[in-house]
Amino acid sequence: MNSAATSTAPERFWSHVVQGPAPTDCWIWTGAIGDDGYGRFWVPQPDGGQRAMRPQRWLYEHLTGVALLPDVLLLHACDVPLCVHVDVDEARSHLATGSHRGNMLERVQRGRHRNGSTAIRTAGLARAERVRLSRELREAFRDHGWDPAAIAAHKTGIQPDTPTLW
Ligand SMILES: [Zn+2]
């Protein structure tokens, strides 16, 4: 691909991201999505090939200079698999490293207290459902740019145009 050869990895990365206006907002990946519902960012390798990475992992390594070992997970505190909002300040970052379930559950509890809602719901969703929700969110952002209503709908799994029944 010519575009990959003429633009840098950071340029390509940010061309696929829509950032919310507030410092605490999500940054939504609008590029490729894998069959697990998470983004895919293709990164050129020294041997001339390309490797697909989750974009949030690429940004974490890009910003921190720390290479993530394969068994180190980046966990979403915001419950949005397409979010790539990494900050070196963990209090602002939507993603945190973790390697065990306890870490995630602890963040879920904190999220519930903070938001008064059931955060990290997508972590328990079936794979196919997560892919569907991620694609919906990506299409909303591709069509409208920053779209808080689409994120809210994504978190509840309810489409914005679905009538409320209660
Ligand atoms: Zn987020």
Side-chain angles (χ1 to χ4, degrees):
M1 289 194 301
N2 283 337
S3 61
T6 54
S7 56
T8 65
E11 283 172 349
R12 285 190 300 113
F13 181 89
W14 293 114
S15 75
H16 294 303
V17 175
V18 177
Q19 295 173 289
T24 53
D25 282 337
C26 285
W27 299 349
I28 301 300
W29 176 256
T30 62
I33 295 174
D35 62 6
D36 54 6
Y38 289 87
R40 289 292 186 279
F41 182 50
W42 290 89
V43 184
Q45 298 298 295
D47 66 1
Q50 292 200 68
R51 181 164 75 102
M53 294 182 71
R54 288 188 180 184
Q56 64 269 29
R57 291 179 77 87
W58 180 87
L59 185 59
Y60 183 93
E61 295 187 355
H62 179 67
L63 291 179
T64 64
V66 176
L68 290 167
L69 295 172
D71 64 338
V72 175
L73 304 174
L74 268 189
L75 304 173
H76 282 91
C78 62
D79 203 19
V80 180
L82 290 184
C83 179
V84 299
H85 190 162
V86 175
D87 194 297
V88 289
D89 176 359
E90 193 172 317
R92 294 173 68 130
S93 185
H94 289 202
L95 289 135
T97 56
S99 54
H100 59 86
R101 188 174 154 76
N103 183 313
M104 178 166 247
L105 289 174
E106 191 253 343
R107 292 186 77 85
V108 170
Q109 292 303 327
R110 273 201 279 158
R112 281 185 180 143
H113 286 300
R114 190 170 58 240
N115 302 327
S117 65
T118 54
I120 321 248
R121 182 177 175 279
T122 48
L125 288 177
R127 198 177 174 91
E129 180 70 355
R130 191 166 63 211
V131 172
R132 184 183 70 76
L133 287 170
S134 285
R135 287 186 177 149
E136 276 182 9
L137 187 62
R138 178 182 64 181
E139 299 318 312
F141 271 70
R142 280 182 170 175
D143 290 346
H144 310 298
W146 177 247
D147 189 343
I151 292 182
H154 176 81
K155 289 186 178 187
T156 57
I158 297 169
Q159 310 224 18
D161 54 357
T162 302
T164 303
L165 299 176
W166 58 86

